[in-house]
Amino acid sequence: CPGKLRGMFAFGIWDKKKNDERVVLVVETAAASPNLQANDIWKYLRQPAFALDQTARPDEIVIMTLPRRGRQAKVDKDQLRQYFQRPV
């Protein structure tokens, strides 16, 4: 999805029910690509040139605005973890 993404960030969250880590890939779309869906990202990741090993694939892909902080606008990892650890 070159040119369609503003940023992405992958991280793991411990899932007590599964007793395993859940890997989440958060994708922020570029302003020119507001209709990009998680299925589009999955298709892209499965292309031979960009394919990830089965064990390296995320459990979930979420499209949202990445929370940022500081002068360099780095991804706020703590805020993301808090967001995804909320009760469902």
Side-chain angles (χ1 to χ4, degrees):
C1 302
K4 296 182 180 184
L5 306 180
R6 181 167 183 256
M8 63 173 55
F9 187 78
F11 64 101
I13 301 171
W14 189 254
D15 187 331
K16 292 178 185 177
K17 291 179 184 176
K18 293 182 179 179
N19 201 30
D20 195 10
E21 187 176 54
R22 178 172 62 112
V23 177
V24 179
L25 176 63
V26 180
V27 176
E28 183 175 7
T29 61
S33 305
N35 298 323
L36 190 67
Q37 302 290 317
N39 283 338
D40 300 324
I41 306 294
W42 280 116
K43 288 177 192 173
Y44 183 74
L45 292 177
R46 289 186 181 112
Q47 291 178 10
F50 305 102
L52 295 173
D53 183 282
Q54 183 71 29
T55 59
R57 290 188 182 150
D59 297 305
E60 181 179 1
I61 295 177
V62 177
I63 296 178
M64 63 183 275
T65 301
L66 286 166
R68 298 178 187 271
R69 69 175 174 192
R71 291 183 321 183
Q72 296 176 341
K74 292 186 177 183
V75 174
D76 188 337
K77 301 171 194 173
D78 295 331
Q79 191 173 344
L80 274 177
R81 282 200 174 87
Q82 287 176 358
Y83 179 83
F84 284 98
Q85 287 179 338
R86 73 198 184 293
V88 179

